[in-house]
């Protein structure tokens, strides 16, 4: 069995895990990222995730401080105005960011973000990927967290569970989980505008439920 050592063992190679790894790597920590899916690097996208993420202006400033925003802004669509309509067109609000060169937020594709983070992390000598790797067990010994993944033993100072709502780490450790059923459904779609959207986001609050349209 191959033994690996690191400061941080991050389980999960999606947005949360990758961004955590990038920021921690800038502080000099040695990092291992375990991801059960095979992460593709190169000309192909690392994921076919069609979803998008909304990044607030404050989060954009943080990403800028980490040196990431200069890469992200190329595929980030700014939200310059938010129009809120409540029940009727006569009940409406409009929001803008009064600060120069600032927006209310940005919409980015998850596939672009994940591919970018993987590309940047691959350049770092203190970060290693274990793709196609699932966590089987976790134990604690001599101030170290010991996890077993396939035929590998990983020793770390901290293990970070970034493996989503069906977290394997949470299940292995028996962490309590609270669930609440709201009996509601949501529909998320991507569509193309026939006319310029002028970077305006719309939020409708109707009796039948809310509707948001983001640029």
């Amino acid at each position: 069995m191959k033994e690996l050592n690191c400061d941080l063992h991050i389980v999960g190679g999606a947005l949360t895990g990758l961004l955590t790894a990038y920021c921690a790597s800038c502080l000099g920590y040695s990092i291992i990222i375990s991801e059960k899916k095979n992460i593709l690097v190169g000309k192909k996208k690392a994921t076919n995730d069609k979803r998008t993420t909304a990044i607030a202006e404050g989060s954009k400033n943080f990403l800028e401080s980490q040196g990431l925003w200069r890469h992200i802004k190329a595929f980030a669509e700014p939200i310059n105005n938010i129009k809120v309509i409540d029940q009727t067109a006569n009940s409406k609000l409009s929001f803008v960011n009064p600060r120069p060169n600032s927006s209310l937020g940005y919409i980015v594709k998850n596939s672009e973000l994940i591919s970018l983070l993987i590309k940047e992390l691959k350049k770092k000598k203190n970060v290693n990927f274990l793709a196609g790797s699932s966590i089987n067990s976790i134990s604690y010994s001599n101030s170290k967290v010991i996890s077993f993944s396939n035929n590998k033993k990983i020793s770390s100072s901290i293990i970070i569970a970034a493996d989503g709502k069906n977290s394997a780490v949470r299940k292995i450790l028996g962490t309590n989980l609270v669930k609440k059923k709201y009996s509601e459904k949501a529909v998320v779609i991507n569509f193309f505008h026939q006319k310029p959207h002028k970077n305006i986001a719309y939020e409708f609050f109707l009796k039948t439920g809310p509707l948001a349209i983001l640029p």
Side-chain angles (χ1 to χ4, degrees):
M1 178 175 289
K2 187 175 182 179
E3 295 190 15
L4 304 171
N5 293 280
C6 62
D7 296 317
L8 304 180
H9 179 196
I10 298 175
V11 182
L15 283 178
T16 300
L18 294 174
L19 186 55
T20 301
Y22 183 89
C23 295
S25 69
C26 294
L27 298 174
Y29 293 109
S30 59
I31 298 164
I32 291 176
I33 303 170
S34 295
E35 169 55 45
K36 64 181 179 180
K37 296 179 182 178
N38 287 313
I39 301 173
L40 300 177
V41 182
K43 294 183 179 180
K44 295 182 179 180
K45 295 280 186 221
T47 175
N48 291 320
D49 191 344
K50 302 296 183 183
R51 295 173 297 172
T52 58
T53 294
I55 297 178
E57 184 69 22
S59 298
K60 171 249 185 179
N61 292 337
F62 171 76
L63 293 170
E64 204 164 36
S65 72
Q66 299 299 303
L68 285 170
W69 187 252
R70 60 193 176 93
H71 303 294
I72 297 172
K73 66 180 181 180
F75 51 83
E77 190 68 32
I79 301 173
N80 294 331
N81 189 299
I82 298 177
K83 294 185 180 295
V84 181
I85 295 95
D86 188 12
Q87 300 296 326
T88 66
N90 294 324
S91 303
K92 55 186 178 180
L93 296 170
S94 184
F95 297 94
V96 295
N97 192 332
R99 296 178 180 176
N101 302 317
S102 296
S103 298
L104 292 166
Y106 306 83
I107 302 299
V108 297
K109 293 180 179 179
N110 285 6
S111 58
E112 297 281 5
L113 273 176
I114 290 173
S115 296
L116 169 65
L117 286 167
I118 291 174
K119 179 183 176 181
E120 293 303 311
L121 284 166
K122 283 287 185 179
K123 297 176 182 178
K124 294 180 175 289
K125 295 182 179 180
N126 57 333
V127 178
N128 289 304
F129 283 91
L130 291 181
S133 178
S134 298
I135 301 299
N136 303 317
S137 64
I138 299 171
S139 60
Y140 185 76
S141 176
N142 297 324
S143 300
K144 292 290 183 179
V145 181
I146 311 298
S147 56
F148 294 89
S149 176
N150 300 344
N151 62 338
K152 297 179 179 64
K153 176 183 176 182
I154 304 167
S155 176
S156 62
S157 298
I158 298 174
I159 188 168
I160 297 175
D163 50 344
K165 65 178 182 180
N166 297 315
S167 171
V169 174
R170 186 189 68 227
K171 292 176 181 178
I172 291 171
L173 297 178
T175 304
N176 291 330
L177 178 67
V178 177
K179 290 184 178 181
K180 184 175 182 179
K181 189 174 182 179
Y182 290 92
S183 300
E184 299 287 348
K185 294 181 179 180
V187 177
V188 180
I189 60 173
N190 296 329
F191 60 88
F192 294 94
H193 294 262
Q194 286 186 318
K195 298 180 180 180
H197 52 63
K198 299 179 181 179
N199 297 97
I200 300 174
Y202 293 90
E203 296 181 5
F204 301 89
F205 292 91
L206 310 173
K207 290 182 179 180
T208 52
L211 170 65
I213 303 174
L214 305 175

